Amino acid sequence: MDKFICIHGHFYQPPRENPWLEEIELQDSAYPYHDWNERITAECYAPNAAARILDADFKIVDLINNYSYMSFDFGPTLLSALERKNPEVYRLIIEADKKSMERFSGHGSAMAMPYNHMIMPLANKRDRYTQTVWGIRDFERRFGRKPEGMWLPEAAVDTECLEIMSELGIKFTVLSPHQAKRIKENKDAEWKDTAGNGLDAGKAYRCALPSGRSISLFFYDGGISHDVGFGSLLDNGENFARRLLSASGGPGIVAIATDGETYGHHHGHGDMALSFCINYLEAGKEALLTNFGEYLEKNPPEQFAEPFDASSWSCLHGVERWKSGCGCNTGMHGGWSQSWRAPLREAMDWLRDSLIPLYEKECSRYFKDPWVARDDYIDVIPDRSDGNVEKFISAHASRELTEGEKTIVLKLLEMQRNAMLMYTSCGWFFDEVSGIEAVQVMRYAARAMQLAQETAGVTLEDDYLKALEKAESNVFGNGREVYGRFAAPAKLDLARVGVHYAVSSLVLGHKNESSVFCYRVTSGSYEEAVASEELKTAFGRATVLSGVTREGIDLEFAALRSGTHDIRCGIGPPMDPRSSEEIKKELFSAVERSAVEEAAGALEERFTSVYTLQHIFRDEQRNIVDKMLLPAYRDIDSAFAGIYEKNLDLIDFFREIGIPLLRPLSTASEYVLNCRLRNLFADKHDIRELEDAIKNAERLNMGIYPDTALKAGSWISAAMDDIAKNPGDVAKVNILRDRLRLLKPWRTDLNLWRAQNIYFFLSKSLEKNTSGDRWLEAFRDLGNYLQVKVPG
């Protein structure tokens, strides 16, 4: 067969980690999930790893790993987050590449990507090289093989990018058809200008490079890709498959490429449309699914092509979207200007160029070659264990380094890492300089400047802010104001980590050792004086150690709670024993006598640095607030419950005569019933209580809150886990079945992905069991409620 189809997904999320904490903090806009990575994982990355094939009754008859049938690339920073936060999905992605090698003649479907989605034609040569090296080395560590292809961020390309990729062993990349500049039939033929027209996208092309090397280019089908990404083609999996088949009228390859998030996040259930399409194509035998590596081996390019330099797939003006107000935007804010893009780019370029000589000068004191060390630093980022860090330093040091010098070189390398992260493309892609993506790249810049100050004593922030003044905001004046509002407050030092530890110890309970994101805190001493839950103080010492730079500090602190939500913490270097004892006695005495102002005054007087709850990291801040306001929350719950219980007859009356509930009654009823459901799914519960709550909610036509649905889905997954560990336990199967029966009206609101997966694979091991088995009958009945068809 000479007809081939290749479906490529570019799976990527911008790095969202706090640059000082190395973790993503709570993002309320992603409710009910912790953050956007977690939400998009639930909507896209996980569903595609076990996509559903349904029968006519909408029951699951098969699960397929879409990744193993398609071509895909995942941003290295996204894979890093998945590896930490969702190892099951991460494992399935890595496994898919291995399965694709079996399916596609030894060619894995995964492609590499430059490390943090930098627009490569706008980068300097060193950054282009390091980004490519990091992308390749990260890929090799994860997938256990060398990448054949590399997806360029935003498909942004120029000759130098292709030269670097080819030099480093990359065989091909994929571009948009409008990026094709000219083609020719063979090396001796005349060039034919295409400018996107007259291009045959059904084949691979060879791109001859000035160095004498070459690289292969694929150009995807623009029309079908557009209809998948922005049209309605994913509304129906069969139509999707037929459209692909109709485009392959002759021999060659039909390749499409879209954002991978199209399949489930941007387009609900797009993962199922993709799995149906794959299943349809596999069954029909009208064309063969392939990946670019396999096709390239079987069909080496004969024709030549050159792309436009500084072109991309998402900007008709080349790469202007990432350096000017070219007119490309999301279309969501009519009248807004993107003139801020140029000054933001100029500010970042100035900062990068200021850091280069600083890095070279300082790092040369310790390392043989600072830039080779930077290229190799990718081997440290995923594994910061002492042994691995020592191995890296030993390989690059020009002499034996002291512990302090090791901290300096790690800070310098982190400075360079953040100086590259600050070029993540999303910082310029959207409409406003105060958007979370632009703020994120400013935070990386802030971290790089802080590290420059700490390692070389150089202050760069004033000139950087002056450059940001030219970036006019549509909301907040200019980039300098945006930086002051959103980037600067995120900055922290080891003392602020100590504050976080001290306040958490006072409110949530003291631990002798605690992990605070990428920091380790060890208690030296800790004492409390408690007058009441709302008036207490703690005094102690702790050592804070960074797991990234190995920097450490000893601190002394005093934390004071003096009201429902009034928290303050003083912190500084350890005092002499006499002074420490004096302030401790003064604070403890004031608290024991309920002398609030005296206690607060003593803390303010004795410590030069005093912090409040506002300075606590967001996740723990929420936990602390929830703990402190628990009495208030209980009062609110009681008030709403009172409204609901007192007016049950009135609610029934409104329902019987068909009048909509008054807003206060509907709000109270929904709130109370959802609270009860969440509490019931938080622990073991009585089925009668659950039944009563659900019946009342149904009776009043009440909706289930997203966080309630998430809690119920987690409980169901845990129950299914328990069944898998205890096969033969009829009671466990019946318990879950009965809960699912009650939740049936809200089944579409529940995330049953994991529970269904467990059930499906468990059912495969039961095919030989006899239908008369009591447990098997119960298990099959459970499948009806999970919408999974059981063989037999």
Side-chain angles (χ1 to χ4, degrees):
M1 186 177 293
D2 54 6
K3 295 181 181 179
F4 297 90
I5 291 174
C6 180
I7 301 169
H8 182 82
H10 167 53
F11 294 89
Y12 165 73
Q13 288 298 302
R16 294 188 168 96
E17 286 80 1
N18 180 313
W20 289 267
L21 302 179
E22 298 290 324
E23 288 288 355
I24 302 173
E25 293 188 275
L26 180 68
Q27 295 178 311
D28 290 319
S29 59
Y31 169 85
Y33 296 94
H34 176 271
D35 56 70
W36 278 100
N37 276 21
E38 185 178 294
R39 177 169 172 172
I40 297 170
T41 297
E43 295 173 348
C44 174
Y45 307 137
N48 278 289
R52 279 75 174 116
I53 301 293
L54 307 181
D55 65 7
D57 297 322
F58 299 100
K59 286 191 174 182
I60 297 169
V61 293
D62 200 6
L63 299 179
I64 70 168
N65 188 330
N66 283 345
Y67 302 117
S68 67
Y69 289 86
M70 63 191 299
S71 169
F72 65 88
D73 70 275
F74 267 85
T77 54
L78 173 57
L79 281 178
S80 178
L82 284 171
E83 185 179 22
R84 295 193 312 272
K85 299 298 183 182
N86 202 317
E88 180 181 6
V89 173
Y90 176 79
R91 176 184 60 79
L92 290 170
I93 292 167
I94 303 302
E95 187 179 284
D97 183 66
K98 292 180 171 58
K99 288 182 177 178
S100 69
M101 292 178 73
E102 298 170 7
R103 182 168 289 119
F104 299 131
S105 312
H107 297 274
S109 285
M111 291 171 59
M113 194 193 85
Y115 187 71
N116 63 265
H117 217 262
M118 184 186 290
I119 300 300
M120 299 290 271
L122 296 178
N124 66 23
K125 187 170 184 177
R126 276 205 185 98
D127 284 355
R128 295 177 191 223
Y129 190 84
T130 300
Q131 285 282 305
T132 308
V133 168
W134 282 19
I136 290 170
R137 297 260 279 273
D138 186 86
F139 182 97
E140 289 171 348
R141 183 183 75 83
R142 297 181 189 284
F143 292 97
R145 64 175 179 86
K146 292 185 179 299
E148 293 184 85
M150 175 170 271
W151 177 270
L152 286 163
E154 301 295 338
V157 70
D158 66 8
T159 301
E160 188 172 78
C161 295
L162 297 176
E163 284 277 21
I164 292 171
M165 288 196 294
S166 179
E167 177 189 345
L168 293 172
I170 297 298
K171 296 178 181 178
F172 67 85
T173 192
V174 184
L175 301 174
S176 163
H178 74 248
Q179 291 179 264
K181 179 182 179 182
R182 57 185 187 171
I183 59 173
K184 62 180 180 177
E185 291 299 319
N186 55 63
K187 66 178 182 178
D188 299 319
E190 293 293 320
W191 285 105
K192 174 186 176 184
D193 290 340
T194 61
N197 298 314
L199 174 75
D200 180 1
K203 62 182 67 176
Y205 291 85
R206 181 183 174 192
C207 179
L209 300 169
S211 65
R213 288 186 288 263
S214 67
I215 191 169
S216 295
L217 303 178
F218 287 92
F219 296 95
Y220 61 79
D221 186 297
I224 302 177
S225 299
H226 178 275
D227 290 347
V228 170
F230 304 102
S232 58
L233 204 50
L234 291 185
D235 289 350
N236 183 289
E238 183 175 343
N239 291 344
F240 181 19
R242 288 184 177 279
R243 178 72 183 279
L244 289 168
L245 289 169
S246 68
S248 57
I253 183 172
V254 175
I256 66 167
T258 64
D259 285 335
E261 290 75 20
T262 301
Y263 302 109
H265 173 56
H266 298 314
H267 195 294
H269 302 298
D271 54 294
M272 294 174 65
L274 176 57
S275 64
F276 189 95
C277 171
I278 289 168
N279 203 47
Y280 186 95
L281 293 171
E282 287 279 286
K285 307 298 184 186
E286 295 178 57
L288 287 176
L289 281 169
T290 189
N291 63 25
F292 295 113
E294 181 188 50
Y295 185 84
L296 193 62
E297 181 190 24
K298 294 181 176 180
N299 302 273
E302 297 176 355
Q303 293 184 316
F304 287 71
E306 283 185 6
F308 285 104
D309 267 356
S311 62
S312 69
W313 77 336
S314 50
C315 177
L316 293 175
H317 314 94
V319 292
E320 292 297 312
R321 186 169 191 156
W322 299 275
K323 67 172 186 174
S324 73
C326 65
C328 290
N329 55 56
T330 66
M332 297 173 64
H333 302 97
W336 279 18
S337 168
Q338 285 76 52
S339 62
W340 55 268
R341 288 174 178 162
L344 180 62
R345 170 71 58 178
E346 289 162 9
M348 296 301 189
D349 286 349
W350 173 85
L351 177 56
R352 176 200 63 200
D353 294 343
S354 299
L355 293 173
I356 288 171
L358 183 154
Y359 173 73
E360 286 183 330
K361 178 184 175 182
E362 297 300 322
C363 206
S364 293
R365 300 176 192 271
Y366 314 106
F367 279 173
K368 290 171 281 192
D369 187 323
W371 298 108
V372 172
R374 188 180 81 158
D375 290 340
D376 287 347
Y377 189 56
I378 186 60
D379 297 329
V380 172
I381 293 169
D383 177 10
R384 298 188 186 275
S385 63
D386 288 344
N388 192 49
V389 173
E390 288 294 340
K391 179 183 175 183
F392 167 80
I393 291 175
S394 177
H396 291 282
S398 56
R399 56 180 172 79
E400 189 170 342
L401 304 184
T402 67
E403 289 303 312
E405 289 171 333
K406 291 173 184 177
T407 290
I408 291 172
V409 295
L410 290 171
K411 284 187 172 185
L412 288 166
L413 287 160
E414 279 299 302
M415 180 184 76
Q416 280 295 309
R417 181 169 77 99
N418 281 275
M420 287 191 288
L421 286 167
M422 71 187 189
Y423 282 108
T424 301
S425 68
C426 295
W428 287 264
F429 187 85
F430 296 97
D431 296 352
E432 165 56 17
V433 71
S434 63
I436 57 174
E437 298 84 6
V439 168
Q440 181 73 6
V441 297
M442 289 184 201
R443 287 178 173 175
Y444 289 127
R447 178 59 174 152
M449 289 186 285
Q450 182 188 51
L451 290 165
Q453 170 70 39
E454 292 176 0
T455 54
V458 176
T459 301
L460 299 169
E461 193 171 51
D462 290 344
D463 288 337
Y464 177 75
L465 291 176
K466 188 172 289 187
L468 283 184
E469 288 176 4
K470 299 175 186 176
E472 295 184 4
S473 167
N474 297 285
V475 181
F476 291 110
N478 59 44
R480 182 183 188 125
E481 185 178 346
V482 171
Y483 180 93
R485 281 174 176 265
F486 304 112
K491 291 193 289 186
L492 62 92
D493 54 17
L494 295 181
R496 192 163 153 203
V497 179
V499 171
H500 179 97
Y501 171 75
V503 173
S504 297
S505 295
L506 182 66
V507 179
L508 301 177
H510 174 253
K511 296 177 182 177
N512 287 326
E513 288 196 6
S514 179
S515 292
V516 181
F517 296 100
C518 61
Y519 301 91
R520 190 75 187 165
V521 185
T522 304
S523 178
S525 63
Y526 184 84
E527 295 180 69
E528 284 187 5
V530 180
S532 67
E533 186 58 34
E534 293 189 359
L535 178 57
K536 56 183 180 178
T537 188
F539 190 87
R541 290 187 176 188
T543 299
V544 180
L545 182 68
S546 167
V548 175
T549 66
R550 291 179 157 190
E551 182 182 19
I553 191 173
D554 293 325
L555 296 165
E556 191 159 50
F557 61 82
L560 173 68
R561 179 181 181 185
S562 55
T564 305
H565 49 79
D566 188 359
I567 292 273
R568 66 194 77 186
C569 178
I571 199 157
M575 306 177 206
D576 62 84
R578 182 176 177 180
S579 298
S580 294
E581 191 63 24
E582 283 178 0
I583 186 174
K584 185 184 76 174
K585 284 183 178 180
E586 190 175 353
L587 268 173
F588 282 23
S589 173
V591 166
E592 287 162 359
R593 290 182 284 107
S594 298
V596 176
E597 291 185 8
E598 183 182 329
L603 188 146
E604 298 275 355
E605 181 183 345
R606 296 288 190 139
F607 289 93
T608 55
S609 298
V610 178
Y611 298 82
T612 65
L613 191 58
Q614 182 180 352
H615 298 96
I616 305 303
F617 307 140
R618 194 158 180 78
D619 288 76
E620 198 79 331
Q621 183 188 67
R622 187 64 55 86
N623 292 334
I624 289 169
V625 167
D626 286 346
K627 175 74 180 292
M628 292 195 306
L629 297 185
L630 192 58
Y633 293 164
R634 285 172 179 158
D635 289 345
I636 293 169
D637 290 350
S638 179
F640 272 97
I643 294 170
Y644 170 68
E645 300 289 353
K646 186 176 180 179
N647 291 283
L648 279 173
D649 290 343
L650 182 59
I651 290 169
D652 282 339
F653 171 70
F654 274 109
R655 184 178 62 84
E656 286 170 6
I657 63 174
I659 296 178
L661 275 184
L662 298 172
R663 180 63 62 83
L665 288 179
S666 65
T667 299
S669 301
E670 260 192 358
Y671 178 83
V672 169
L673 292 170
N674 272 278
C675 281
R676 290 179 181 176
L677 286 170
R678 279 198 305 276
N679 291 336
L680 287 169
F681 281 112
D683 207 346
K684 292 182 179 179
H685 53 263
D686 189 306
I687 184 89
R688 289 167 297 183
E689 290 183 73
L690 181 64
E691 189 168 17
D692 287 344
I694 290 175
K695 280 184 176 178
N696 284 329
E698 276 192 278
R699 182 167 57 91
L700 301 173
N701 197 28
M702 296 297 171
I704 186 171
Y705 289 171
D707 56 338
T708 306
L710 196 64
K711 181 78 74 174
S714 297
W715 185 92
I716 292 165
S717 294
M720 199 64 234
D721 261 330
D722 200 20
I723 288 170
K725 292 173 186 175
N726 299 278
D729 192 326
V730 178
K732 291 183 184 297
V733 175
N734 288 337
I735 286 171
L736 178 55
R737 180 203 59 200
D738 293 343
R739 270 66 176 172
L740 285 167
R741 174 178 54 80
L742 293 173
L743 289 165
K744 190 173 181 180
W746 296 322
R747 186 169 57 207
T748 56
D749 296 303
L750 304 176
N751 186 344
L752 300 176
W753 180 80
R754 190 163 182 277
Q756 289 170 334
N757 292 353
I758 296 168
Y759 183 95
F760 180 85
F761 290 112
L762 189 57
S763 72
K764 292 295 183 183
S765 66
L766 303 175
E767 292 181 14
K768 295 181 180 180
N769 286 28
T770 59
S771 59
D773 182 272
R774 185 164 158 262
W775 183 87
L776 187 57
E777 289 179 3
F779 185 77
R780 284 193 171 131
D781 195 22
L782 174 61
N784 292 324
Y785 290 99
L786 283 169
Q787 288 295 103
V788 182
K789 187 169 184 177
V790 184

